[in-house]
Amino acid sequence: NAGVTQTPKFQVLKTGQSMTLQCAQDMNHEYMSWYRQDPGMGLRLIHYSVGAGITDQGEVPNGYNVSRSTTEDFPLRLLSAAPSQTSVYFCASSGPLGETQYFGPGTRLLVL
Amino acid sequence: AQSVSQHNHHVILSEAASLELGCNYSYGGTVNLFWYVQYPGQHLQLLLKYFSGDPLVKGIKGFEAEFIKSKFSFNLRKPSVQWSDTAEYFCAVKAGNTGKLIFGQGTTLQVKP
């Protein structure tokens, strides 16, 4: 049981490049979400999903896309990276009632 | 809109001192409340949570928190901190059944040996 896994651990991008941050969970959780963590701002919700095929926007969705084709995977896409997207990104999952969320180890992204 | 406010951004304590971190939220309905901890270089871990029942909840490593509904507060306490408690602490609120978790800004705790 690996819990929530994220890849890559660290990534450097140039402005305008695209990339996908991967997130997977093996707990059969319905609810998954993406957060970004910035100093002094806590964690802010980017996008979330309440089940396969269903996604919705969080507090800071601009510049990010998500999809949920399977229960296990919830990738986050940056179509055209900007320096403002330099951050640490955390994926999380929880059971059907959205109770305790379990977090992945994070992806540290630097956009130059 | 729901929001969570943590009053202390940076707290410095000596070992054995008592700790209280403030957390207030804004939402008028049913809430689930959480405190998460992030040790240096690690990901977030659940410290404790409140869903219903006894408003005084106990978590791991000697931490506890009290839910005061009339004050919209969920303060975190520990009677005697240790150097290993140095970390960032986040209060979070889940409102209703949306599953969305809203975090406070975080409090950095530094414990001096």
Side-chain angles (χ1 to χ4, degrees), chain A residues 42-55:
Chain A
L43 278 80
R44 292 180 292 169
L45 182 63
I46 304 172
H47 285 284
Y48 66 100
S49 168
V50 298
I54 306 169
T55 64

Side-chain angles (χ1 to χ4, degrees), chain B residues 9 12 15 18 32 36 42 44 54 68 70 72 104 107-108 111:
Chain B
H9 296 293
I12 302 174
E15 274 193 314
S18 64
N32 294 341
Y36 281 88
Q42 297 187 27
L44 278 80
D54 189 345
I68 303 179
S70 61
F72 298 90
T107 297
T108 300
V111 180

Side-chain angles (χ1 to χ4, degrees), chain A residues 69-93:
Chain A
S69 57
T70 67
T71 300
E72 294 79 17
D73 301 298
F74 190 44
L76 178 72
R77 296 184 189 85
L78 285 71
L79 297 179
S80 179
S84 61
Q85 294 178 303
T86 293
S87 187
V88 181
Y89 292 85
F90 288 99
C91 179
S93 74

Side-chain angles (χ1 to χ4, degrees), chain B residues 4-111:
Chain B
V4 179
S5 176
Q6 292 181 236
H7 314 303
N8 319 97
H9 296 293
H10 196 169
V11 174
I12 302 174
L13 295 173
S14 298
E15 274 193 314
S18 64
L19 170 72
E20 180 159 4
L21 301 181
C23 173
N24 284 90
Y25 65 93
S26 63
Y27 183 73
T30 302
V31 293
N32 294 341
L33 299 160
F34 305 82
W35 276 98
Y36 281 88
V37 61
Q38 186 178 30
Y39 297 104
Q42 297 187 27
H43 58 95
L44 278 80
Q45 303 171 41
L46 181 68
L47 206 51
L48 49 78
K49 62 186 179 184
Y50 172 80
F51 283 1
S52 63
D54 189 345
L56 183 63
V57 293
K58 295 189 184 300
I60 61 172
K61 303 185 180 184
F63 285 91
E64 64 179 32
E66 184 176 13
F67 170 50
I68 303 179
K69 189 174 181 180
S70 61
K71 294 185 178 181
F72 298 90
S73 70
F74 190 56
N75 293 353
L76 180 71
R77 300 194 292 250
K78 185 171 184 178
S80 176
V81 296
Q82 300 173 320
W83 176 79
S84 58
D85 292 324
T86 293
E88 191 158 16
Y89 293 81
F90 294 94
C91 179
V93 172
K94 185 179 79 69
N97 288 323
T98 65
K100 293 168 62 174
L101 203 58
I102 305 300
F103 282 84
Q105 308 94 313
T107 297
T108 300
L109 172 65
Q110 182 181 354
V111 180

